[in-house]
Amino acid sequence: MNGTIPTAVQFDTFTLTVPKDEVSFFKKMAKKMGWSIERKTKPKARLYDPETGEYLNDETMKTIEDTMNGKGLIKFDSYEDFKEWVKAL
């Protein structure tokens, strides 16, 4: 060395949003640059049932989310149609 004391490398931390179709490219670029990246996942949505003291399971949560997004809905033209459908069960 040239007689100088090496200094510690300093880092900055960033939050970055990457489009899903660019994630592969971003990972490759980060690896080439020697960067350290960490993907943070969103916590799962949970609903608490005060009667049982437990949280709803994954299957129930998926059903609720699908319904909120309009997936798997059965539509009826009238209440009478709904009653007929229920009787057929």
Side-chain angles (χ1 to χ4, degrees):
M1 303 269 279
N2 61 7
T4 61
I5 300 173
T7 58
V9 177
Q10 295 182 343
F11 295 94
D12 279 331
T13 301
F14 295 87
T15 300
L16 185 68
T17 303
V18 179
K20 285 189 182 286
D21 58 341
E22 298 292 340
V23 170
S24 178
F25 169 76
F26 175 71
K27 286 181 176 180
K28 287 177 189 173
M29 183 180 70
K31 186 175 181 179
K32 285 184 179 184
M33 297 294 292
W35 297 344
S36 172
I37 60 172
E38 176 184 342
R39 175 182 272 168
K40 298 202 177 198
T41 57
K42 294 179 185 175
K44 288 183 178 182
R46 299 320 262 153
L47 290 177
Y48 179 73
D49 181 356
E51 290 181 10
T52 63
E54 297 179 358
Y55 287 88
L56 299 180
N57 64 26
D58 290 340
E59 183 180 357
T60 304
M61 287 304 301
K62 178 157 178 25
T63 301
I64 292 169
E65 289 168 0
D66 286 350
T67 303
M68 289 173 65
N69 292 323
K71 296 180 185 175
L73 297 178
I74 300 172
K75 296 183 182 180
F76 299 96
D77 293 327
S78 68
Y79 180 68
E80 298 302 321
D81 290 344
F82 171 73
K83 286 192 329 185
E84 292 298 320
W85 177 78
V86 171
K87 284 181 188 177
L89 293 176

